[in-house]
Amino acid sequence: ADGYKAEWEWVQGLDADGYKAEWEWVQGLDADEVDWLRELPYTLTLPFLEPTVLCVHAGLIPGVPLQYQSPLNMVKMRDVRLELDQESPLKSQFRATEKSAEGSVGWAEVW
């Protein structure tokens, strides 16, 4: 359980709505289980499908190459919101949101 203490504290602080009860099982993990979880991929590629399919738990920001995607977005994103770049009003960029909010849309809708 000590091997997962940092992750447990991180998860506790993610949401003011409280994840504590939902994540209590983490405290019972031993070091081998923690290591196994840390090694799991954030994405799965299914090359046998045509076209090749990339699976993620939550979402990906459109227009951002996979190697630059945020792991946190890949596990928590629900929607994206279009935000104009302050330096170039013609340039736009998507921002991830964990919950649906005014002005946000499901990330898959913009792909």
Side-chain angles (χ1 to χ4, degrees), residues 11-81:
V11 168
Q12 284 187 49
L14 284 179
D15 192 337
D17 293 338
Y19 279 97
K20 289 182 182 180
E22 181 181 346
W23 290 94
E24 285 181 13
W25 62 271
V26 173
Q27 292 181 345
L29 295 175
D30 64 31
D32 289 338
E33 292 167 326
V34 170
D35 289 341
W36 181 80
L37 286 170
R38 285 182 179 150
E39 294 300 318
L40 291 174
Y42 285 99
T43 64
L44 294 174
T45 302
L46 307 177
F48 52 86
L49 295 176
E50 186 61 43
T52 297
V53 173
L54 179 75
C55 302
V56 331
H57 173 75
L60 299 169
I61 297 285
V64 176
L66 186 58
Q67 67 267 28
Y68 298 115
Q69 294 283 341
S70 161
L72 189 60
N73 287 345
M74 287 190 253
V75 296
K76 295 192 59 71
M77 179 191 309
R78 175 176 297 268
D79 286 1
V80 291
R81 184 176 54 243

Side-chain angles (χ1 to χ4, degrees), residues 1 10 21 27 29 41 43 58-59 67 80 84 94 96 101-102 105 111:
W10 178 74
Q27 292 181 345
L29 295 175
T43 64
Q67 67 267 28
V80 291
L84 293 177
F94 290 101
E102 186 175 336
V105 295
W111 278 86

